[in-house]
Amino acid sequence: MPWAMFARLAHEHVPWEHVAVFQVDERVAPDGDPDRNLTHLREGLGAAPAEVIAMPVKDADLEAAAAAYGWSLPGRFGLVHLGLGPDGHTASLVPRDPVLEVPDRLVALTAPYMDHQRMTLTYPALARAQQVLWLITGADKRQPLSRLVMGEQSIPANDHDARPYFRAGPVRGIRWL
């Protein structure tokens, strides 16, 4: 899980007071919910003084909240950390979700997936990454990782024909851990 990575990074010599952490995706759930990425992110970072800009998933108007979060994003991300799901999803860009076809928004809402609607960065937002760090763990990720590395375009993490501005393959700026 990425939370252990954040916990370890929190103890490294990083100028945390100059670091802004934007969420890639988040489940629509209450604060403190164990399913929320933010809960684990904050626990992992501990006392590191990074600025965490949380996705506004508790707002009454989630569409407006997603748009506002999109407007708050920087023009470029120095680094985007991504994982990979057993079904080949990354962020909350899951197979067959209409959010995969969103070309004109930086943040969008998904259909319910694994019991939660989610707010996610879209392909255009991920394309703002100067570097992408993939952290992929678990035996259940072997097949999708193989598909990703081989460039199979049927998984959202590697659908670069339809979205030429985002490539999850071995290109400049990609880091594999």
Side-chain angles (χ1 to χ4, degrees):
M1 295 298 278
W3 321 125
M5 176 187 73
F6 289 123
R8 188 161 182 178
L9 278 174
H11 298 297
E12 295 295 321
H13 296 289
V14 173
W16 289 110
E17 62 277 1
H18 301 292
V19 173
V21 179
F22 289 85
Q23 289 188 273
V24 171
D25 68 328
E26 183 60 277
R27 291 161 184 84
V28 176
D31 280 340
D33 189 297
D35 287 339
R36 289 273 309 263
N37 293 332
L38 184 62
T39 302
H40 300 287
L41 175 62
R42 286 192 169 143
E43 287 172 2
L45 288 175
E51 179 185 10
V52 176
I53 300 96
M55 285 188 155
V57 296
K58 296 185 330 172
D59 285 24
D61 185 344
L62 288 173
E63 289 288 344
Y69 196 78
W71 295 323
S72 76
L73 298 176
R76 298 292 292 162
F77 293 111
L79 176 73
V80 170
H81 158 257
L82 294 173
L84 182 67
D87 60 358
H89 83 269
T90 192
S92 282
L93 302 171
V94 301
R96 296 172 295 285
D97 193 291
V99 77
L100 297 174
E101 305 302 325
V102 174
D104 57 349
R105 286 176 281 155
L106 298 174
V107 181
L109 297 169
T110 68
Y113 175 75
M114 296 179 71
D115 300 325
H116 289 286
Q117 183 177 29
R118 299 164 187 233
M119 188 176 288
T120 187
L121 297 187
T122 60
Y123 289 115
L126 293 174
R128 293 180 172 195
Q130 293 174 314
Q131 294 187 64
V132 175
L133 172 73
W134 288 92
L135 178 65
I136 302 167
T137 61
D140 61 339
K141 312 287 177 61
R142 281 190 183 135
Q143 183 183 28
L145 175 59
S146 176
R147 293 167 65 195
L148 178 68
V149 172
M150 296 302 292
E152 187 177 316
Q153 297 168 25
S154 65
I155 61 173
N158 210 18
D159 189 0
H160 55 77
D161 264 1
R163 291 146 200 97
Y165 41 74
F166 177 68
R167 278 197 173 78
V171 296
R172 187 174 152 251
I174 303 291
R175 303 284 184 257
W176 298 93
L177 292 182

